[in-house]
Amino acid sequence: MLATLQRRLLVILSIGLVLTLGVVAYTCRAALGYDRLNDQVQRTHEVKEELSAVLRLTVDAETGQRGYLITDDPIYLQPYQVATSQIESRLARLASLTKNSAVQQKRMHELQGLEQQELALLQSMIQLDQEGKDLEAGKILLSGVAKQRMDELRRVVADMEMEEDRQ
């Protein structure tokens, strides 16, 4: 009878140990999944933050450039200069954050191209104005090409944000 009681106790303890190990394994697995999910959420937040910064800096550059073209006062170039000095590093960070997504890398390439075109256009208009060709700069401004490019930039940024929400 004592042997039977010992066997039953051993079986009960063994079942308890197996259940405990199962709970521990499940908890560890859930914790790892939570860490991965947390990392993904953090990366998505960083991508969206960088996208917002790139767009904001581009608008700042455009605003500074237009202020200068209107007034011919170099003080208005300060926001332009600050913004253009930061855009490239923000784009590089964004490219790094999205490097594991083929879809985002394709959009990143498009975004970088649009940014280069926009900044080159802004710079060329400033240069024309500084060379006394303010009428030519004004014609470019009134042509709507800068607005069209900004609309394209906003579309790419919105597409990238939506892709981040899907992931």
Side-chain angles (χ1 to χ4, degrees), residues 50-138:
E50 290 301 322
L51 285 167
S52 177
V54 166
L55 197 54
R56 185 188 76 251
L57 289 168
T58 306
V59 169
D60 288 352
E62 190 177 63
T63 301
Q65 177 251 20
R66 286 197 180 152
Y68 173 74
L69 292 178
I70 292 168
T71 65
D72 276 333
D73 187 345
I75 193 77
Y76 286 94
L77 286 177
Q78 185 179 8
Y80 166 84
Q81 292 163 339
V82 169
T84 56
S85 72
Q86 295 177 16
I87 289 174
E88 190 174 320
S89 64
R90 293 290 190 151
L91 287 172
R93 173 128 169 79
L94 192 53
S96 175
L97 286 168
T98 60
K99 68 183 175 193
N100 293 328
S101 169
V103 172
Q104 291 292 61
Q105 282 297 293
K106 181 180 176 191
R107 288 189 178 121
M108 195 59 226
H109 181 72
E110 184 179 4
L111 180 63
Q112 288 169 322
L114 289 168
E115 279 293 338
Q116 288 173 350
Q117 292 170 17
E118 178 69 7
L119 295 178
L121 179 65
L122 296 177
Q123 177 57 42
S124 70
M125 291 167 59
I126 290 169
Q127 188 171 349
L128 284 170
D129 188 76
Q130 290 173 340
E131 293 171 355
K133 301 175 184 175
D134 53 331
L135 288 178
E136 288 179 46

Side-chain angles (χ1 to χ4, degrees), residues 48 107 157-167:
K48 286 183 164 189
R107 288 189 178 121
V157 166
D159 289 348
M160 291 181 78
E161 287 175 341
M162 284 191 302
E163 181 64 24
E164 286 301 312
D165 288 339
R166 276 186 231 135
Q167 294 180 10

Side-chain angles (χ1 to χ4, degrees), residues 25-45 100 167:
Y26 176 79
T27 302
C28 288
R29 190 173 206 196
L32 289 174
Y34 175 78
D35 286 346
R36 273 189 241 117
L37 181 60
N38 191 37
D39 290 346
Q40 178 79 17
V41 169
Q42 179 65 30
R43 191 199 60 78
T44 294
H45 177 72
N100 293 328
Q167 294 180 10

